[in-house]
Amino acid sequence: MLLNTRHFGEIEIDEENIILFEEGLPGFNHVRKFIILDKSGGKDTHGTNDIAEPVSPFEWLQCVDEPTLAFVIVNPFVFKPDYDIELSNEIIEHLEIEKEEDVALYSIVVVPEDMTKMTINLKAPLIINMHNRKGIQTILDTDRYSVRHYIMSQKAGQEV
């Protein structure tokens, strides 16, 4: 399937690798189909046949329904090794999670003009069952994490 994306131009994706967010994402409820791309935009880093190691911790959650929409994402453990969440039974059932190793966890990255102020959203992680390609963004019921966790140099580790 060909997608004409805003950031990467025309790319070909494997429809088997599309992740379905049945409820959409908060603020983007009208779009439900996404694919994960590495930073070059040309490689599906979570394909069923060819899993490649990303060259950077940052990847893209590229929307399939609206190809002009994409989010920079990252594994939150890269920048917050002690990140700890517990999935509710509701999420486990909704995503049909059977094994912990099928779960991929991501945080959306905000990249401002001043790169030293780059943040990740630890309060609302993306949880994806890579086995069945179902995902959800959930808002954690805790004050331990912020929507703006700084990840660069002198601000690293600070929460706002």
Side-chain angles (χ1 to χ4, degrees):
M1 168 180 196
L2 286 177
L3 278 185
N4 191 11
T5 70
R6 176 180 173 189
H7 298 285
F8 309 109
E10 191 172 272
I11 59 171
E12 183 152 352
I13 63 165
D14 185 343
E15 290 184 53
E16 290 181 13
N17 297 334
I18 292 174
I19 300 162
L20 178 64
F21 287 81
E22 292 175 342
E23 300 169 6
L25 302 178
F28 299 92
N29 298 14
H30 62 289
V31 291
R32 293 179 168 50
K33 294 179 182 176
F34 292 85
I35 192 156
I36 297 175
L37 304 172
D38 70 6
K39 75 173 189 164
S40 72
K43 192 184 303 175
D44 173 6
T45 60
H46 295 282
T48 53
N49 298 324
D50 185 27
I51 296 176
E53 284 296 316
V55 293
S56 131
F58 302 101
E59 298 176 87
W60 289 86
L61 185 66
Q62 173 64 57
C63 185
V64 175
D65 298 322
E66 191 175 302
T68 58
L69 180 64
F71 300 95
V72 177
I73 59 173
V74 68
N75 177 331
F77 297 101
V78 170
F79 295 104
K80 182 85 170 143
D82 62 343
Y83 188 57
D84 183 35
I85 69 167
E86 190 171 317
L87 299 182
S88 69
N89 287 336
E90 181 180 304
I91 289 174
I92 292 169
E93 289 172 17
H94 177 78
L95 296 180
E96 301 170 6
I97 296 170
E98 295 177 6
K99 297 183 287 188
E100 186 176 335
E101 54 268 18
D102 290 339
V103 177
L105 193 65
Y106 290 97
S107 291
I108 293 179
V109 180
V110 175
V111 185
E113 199 169 304
D114 180 353
M115 297 286 279
T116 65
K117 295 180 179 169
M118 189 182 314
T119 61
I120 59 176
N121 182 345
L122 295 176
K123 182 81 171 179
L126 300 168
I127 301 153
I128 302 169
N129 181 339
M130 298 306 291
H131 178 71
N132 66 8
R133 304 278 179 213
K134 285 181 148 187
I136 193 169
Q137 184 174 23
T138 188
I139 298 171
L140 301 177
D141 186 20
T142 180
D143 292 331
R144 290 175 50 197
Y145 303 116
S146 166
V147 295
R148 291 187 304 269
H149 176 83
Y150 287 102
I151 61 175
M152 300 295 285
S153 63
Q154 75 274 13
K155 293 186 180 290
Q158 292 180 5
E159 307 251 352
V160 176

